[in-house]
Every structure is written in structure tokens, then in C-alpha cells.
Amino acid sequence: MDLRELYQEVILDHGKNPRNHRLLEPYNREGRGYNPLCGDRITLRLQLDGDRITDIGFQGQGCAISQASCSTMTEAIKGKTLREAEALFEQFHALVTGEGEADFDELDKLAVFAGVSEFPMRVKCATLGWHTLKHAVEGDGIEAVTE
């Protein structure tokens, strides 16, 4: 099995069996996201303790890439500070857009989305959860729309 096949299997697994797929209670931040190109919709809730993400969950529906990306994102950022999560998003964004250098060691499991850069229309699917996270943290009440 080559690396690409392994990545596809991980994405399919997270798409069919997303981790942290629940509406978190209690929570102190919430964000909603929508990708009109693919129809993906998510609600993301997190519990912050100071600037540390102590718990996170999401619910919604969408394509395998958006659901798998939200699932792996929640696993990757749980327990991290907001600054650490933002740095991870910068690395992830570089990976899926092909713009800049991505550190595969730092990305760990998120590296399975490396192939997304070959499909520009899927970048919005892969980054929906991350953009929703940003709005949730800022508490601006604005729905994250990937257009």
C-alpha cells in the first residue's frame, strides 16, 4: 500500500466515523460554518480554560473531506493553546493550498490531507472546520462561509 492509499483510508475512516462528533455540553464558544460549493454545514463548540482548548466537538453534515478534516482537527487541537492551534492551522493551510512549506512532523495526522492541494475546489471543504474554529474563538457570531 502506498502513502496515498493510506491517506485515503484515513480520510474515509474519519469521514465515516468522525471523532468528537457531538454537540459539546458545557461549552463557552460556538461557531457555525457553511461551504456553499459543497453544501457542508457544521456547528463547532469548544470549551476554553483561559487560552487552552480543553474540549471540542462538532456536528453537521458534508462531504467526506469536510467531516474528516473536522474530525482530525478536533483530535489535533484538543489540549492545545489558541496560539498552538493557530500555528497548526497555518501549517495545515500551507499543506492543502500548496502555498508555502508545511512541516509534516508538526502536522502529524493532519498530513493525510496533502493530496487536497491537487484539487483546489476541495480546499474549502478541508478548511471549513478551521475557519469555523476561528469565528468560534473570536465569538463574533458570524457564520464562517468558505467562498
Side-chain angles (χ1 to χ4, degrees):
M1 174 182 299
D2 72 3
L3 197 55
R4 186 177 289 233
E5 288 177 22
L6 177 64
Y7 284 0
Q8 285 178 327
E9 280 192 24
V10 171
I11 290 171
L12 289 173
D13 177 46
H14 276 268
K16 290 178 183 172
N17 307 296
R19 283 41 157 206
N20 300 302
H21 192 254
R22 69 200 191 290
L23 282 179
L24 185 67
E25 290 287 346
Y27 67 97
N28 54 18
R29 295 288 191 284
E30 181 180 79
R32 297 182 187 279
Y34 176 53
N35 174 5
L37 293 174
C38 203
D40 309 316
R41 284 195 177 274
I42 64 162
T43 299
L44 181 85
R45 289 181 177 173
L46 59 150
Q47 183 68 37
L48 287 178
D49 183 4
D51 74 335
R52 187 164 302 277
I53 301 165
T54 58
D55 204 359
I56 186 166
F58 77 98
Q59 218 170 34
Q61 65 279 340
C63 69
I65 291 175
S66 74
Q67 295 297 290
S69 181
C70 285
S71 175
T72 55
M73 176 194 76
T74 62
E75 285 190 320
I77 66 172
K78 192 184 292 188
K80 298 219 180 320
T81 66
L82 294 176
R83 180 172 282 150
E84 290 168 334
E86 186 177 335
L88 207 49
F89 176 51
E90 289 171 13
Q91 288 288 325
F92 184 78
H93 195 264
L95 176 79
V96 298
T97 61
E99 300 170 5
E101 293 293 317
D103 183 340
F104 281 75
D105 289 334
E106 188 176 324
L107 285 166
D108 195 32
K109 290 180 182 177
L110 296 171
V112 299
F113 293 93
V116 170
S117 65
E118 298 173 29
F119 305 96
M121 292 296 288
R122 298 314 229 164
V123 170
K124 294 176 188 302
C125 304
T127 59
L128 178 63
W130 294 92
H131 290 295
T132 305
L133 173 65
K134 182 179 182 199
H135 284 281
V137 168
E138 292 172 356
D140 58 18
I142 299 172
E143 182 176 59
V145 178
T146 58
E147 288 193 293

